[in-house]
Amino acid sequence: MKKRILVTGGAGFVGSHLCDRLVAQGHDVLAVDNFYTGDRSNLAQHLSNPRFEVMRHDVTFPLYVEVDEIYNLACPASPIHYQRDPVQTTKTSVIGAINMLGLAKRLGIPILQASTSEIYGDPDVHPQPEDYRGLVSVSGPRACYDEGKRCAETLFFDYQRRHHVPIRVARIFNTYGPRMNRDDGRVVSNFVVQALRGEPITLYGDGRQTRAFCFVDDLVEGLMRLMNVEGTLDGAVNLGNPTEVTIAEIAHRIIALTGSRSEIVYRPLPQDDPRQRCPDITRAKAMLHWTPKVGLDEGLTRTIAYFEALLSASGSSVTPFEPALPELAKTGS
Ligand code: NAD
Ligand code: UDP
Ligand code: UDP
């Protein structure tokens, strides 16, 4: 069935891939974005399609449109971006959620929230199942994002209980792939760009901290399955690739896959940087019959190809790449 689908944050990394899939299925797609971290160029492939529309709008302001379902992705996602204007980050998560839930309530339509593994903070349970309550700082530099997303989840569950809005809450773990923002300071984009340019790879801390990386196509498949699952859902669902790797290993793999001569340089670990993170995806497997398909080497190879094309299009005259360091990486513990 063809639907009118709203994607907030549609010009961002994940949002633009989601728009690709929804357009390919023949839906009418409305991407709403204030272009804080996203870019219209991520949607260039759809701009002449009459079934696709992009609207510049900030979700902290009310939005009155007529649609059949909502994916609420609007929010800066990389530490360097969400810490740049922390109050705006919290507003986007909390007021944005209230507005999009108000829209879903008025129309009686399903709404999916892009929540995050960051709601588990620096976890002391491993891997993280959905019923783990997390270990989160309320005052640290990551709190604007973590607590904003936690409050957004609370709002989603209250709109479900009080107003019977059909909600879905996806707790997304680290995702990577083409169209990651080159300057967003995330580990995959930083290391790939550094390796391709033969510049030092900036490893924070001793590199023994872990993450589990999901290729963006797998994530988008999981989000769409979650949106389309039948019935009322009780609680959130983790979406991520459960293959856990150290950050040092990511550096070595990227060096090997690019054939780079880059050296590794060590930088201080940012404050509150989680030491270990890996999703327990038992629930997603059972409920959505979903499991990630793209392995790390394949996903990295596709990501490297994207950045190679991007760098060669920007020419050799570009200024040397300055890795995006979070403020606290310069002074942190
Ligand atoms: P991104 O920064 O590429 O995309 C976010 C988009 O939201 C951008 O296009 C940005 O301009 C837009 N935006 C920000 N504030 C807005 C506002 N107030 N109003 C309207 N638009 C606004 O990030 P992403 O990686 O694509 O992440 C998308 C969503 O997924 C985010 O909600 C993020 O928290 C969540 N998520 C992502 C990851 C990941 O690894 N990529 C992990 C966990 C959760
Ligand atoms: N809202 C919106 N679009 C709509 C309906 C509501 O942006 O189509 C906003 C509205 O501005 C309100 C918020 O969503 O601030 C929450 O709406 P709700 O009806 O839940 O609460 P109320 O309006 O009663 O405060
Ligand atoms: N990281 C790193 N070098 C970089 C960028 C990040 O060592 O140039 C580390 C960072 O400290 C963290 C991990 O890589 O331990 C993942 O960082 P990212 O910002 O991608 O995601 P998040 O910390 O939000 O999971």
Side-chain angles (χ1 to χ4, degrees), residues 8-15 32-39 57-60 72-78 81 88 92 114-117 145 149 172-176 179 181 186 219:
T8 76
F13 161 52
V14 175
V32 162
D33 205 295
N34 69 351
F35 305 117
Y36 182 58
T37 53
D39 198 293
H57 175 81
D58 184 324
V59 293
T60 61
N72 187 36
L73 273 60
C75 188
S78 90
H81 283 160
Q88 179 62 21
T92 291
S115 189
T116 169
S117 54
Y145 183 70
K149 289 283 190 178
I172 303 170
F173 285 63
N174 295 64
T175 301
Y176 70 103
R179 300 195 201 131
N181 187 320
R186 282 191 263 199
L219 173 70

Side-chain angles (χ1 to χ4, degrees), residues 5-328:
I5 301 179
L6 167 61
V7 179
T8 76
F13 161 52
V14 175
S16 64
H17 285 277
L18 177 62
C19 288
D20 289 351
R21 284 287 304 279
L22 296 172
V23 167
Q25 290 186 345
H27 299 295
D28 282 349
V29 175
L30 169 61
V32 162
D33 205 295
N34 69 351
F35 305 117
Y36 182 58
T37 53
D39 198 293
R40 199 180 284 268
S41 64
N42 287 333
L43 297 170
Q45 62 282 20
H46 304 303
L47 295 179
S48 60
N49 179 348
R51 308 199 71 155
F52 181 83
E53 200 180 341
V54 57
M55 180 196 292
R56 180 191 289 271
H57 175 81
D58 184 324
V59 293
T60 61
F61 294 93
L63 177 67
Y64 287 83
V65 291
E66 308 305 311
V67 289
D68 301 310
E69 65 188 30
I70 306 170
Y71 288 86
N72 187 36
L73 273 60
C75 188
S78 90
I80 206 153
H81 283 160
Y82 68 66
Q83 290 172 28
R84 190 162 64 201
D85 187 346
V87 174
Q88 179 62 21
T89 297
T90 306
K91 281 186 184 172
T92 291
S93 277
V94 176
I95 302 174
I98 291 173
N99 286 330
M100 292 309 106
L101 284 161
L103 175 61
K105 178 183 128 193
R106 177 175 65 80
L107 297 172
I109 57 169
I111 177 167
L112 180 147
Q113 167 68 353
S115 189
T116 169
S117 54
E118 280 280 328
I119 68 115
Y120 301 124
D122 186 4
D124 54 2
V125 166
H126 201 73
Q128 294 83 55
E130 288 86 353
D131 59 5
Y132 173 56
R133 292 186 177 186
L135 186 64
V136 184
S137 162
V138 293
S139 57
R142 298 174 87 101
C144 58
Y145 183 70
D146 303 7
E147 297 290 10
K149 289 283 190 178
R150 285 173 75 93
C151 184
E153 282 204 17
T154 303
L155 287 159
F156 269 70
F157 294 120
D158 281 332
Y159 269 76
Q160 179 182 46
R161 277 189 292 262
R162 293 288 292 227
H163 302 302
H164 311 291
V165 174
I167 62 148
R168 280 90 181 81
V169 175
R171 291 194 185 139
I172 303 170
F173 285 63
N174 295 64
T175 301
Y176 70 103
R179 300 195 201 131
M180 289 184 87
N181 187 320
R182 178 194 142 159
D183 300 317
D184 75 4
R186 282 191 263 199
V187 66
V188 171
S189 45
N190 265 11
F191 285 2
V192 168
V193 173
Q194 290 163 343
L196 288 174
R197 298 181 67 119
E199 289 161 9
I201 307 267
T202 51
L203 193 57
Y204 303 162
D206 60 12
R208 283 190 296 174
Q209 69 273 34
T210 69
R211 297 290 188 274
F213 293 93
C214 186
F215 191 66
V216 65
D217 292 0
D218 283 331
L219 173 70
V220 166
E221 177 66 30
L223 292 174
M224 291 169 66
R225 284 184 190 222
L226 180 58
M227 175 62 98
N228 291 309
V229 79
E230 293 288 325
T232 305
L233 294 192
D234 185 17
V237 179
N238 286 340
L239 291 178
N241 188 319
T243 310
E244 185 178 357
V245 289
T246 66
I247 298 304
E249 189 179 341
I250 287 288
H252 290 296
R253 286 215 198 186
I254 289 174
I255 289 172
L257 289 168
T258 51
S260 173
R261 294 179 162 195
S262 292
E263 291 172 353
I264 293 178
V265 293
Y266 291 85
R267 296 282 179 263
L269 193 66
Q271 187 183 332
D272 295 339
D273 198 281
R275 287 156 300 163
Q276 204 178 4
R277 179 189 289 156
C278 182
D280 178 336
I281 59 165
T282 310
R283 190 156 198 235
K285 279 183 178 164
M287 186 187 287
L288 312 177
H289 309 290
W290 172 85
T291 184
K293 302 262 181 299
V294 181
L296 191 54
D297 282 350
E298 184 193 339
L300 286 176
T301 302
R302 286 161 70 177
T303 308
I304 289 165
Y306 167 79
F307 279 108
E308 255 173 341
L310 191 77
L311 292 181
S312 67
S314 57
S316 54
S317 60
V318 285
T319 47
F321 178 63
E322 287 283 344
L325 286 172
E327 260 326 290
L328 284 144

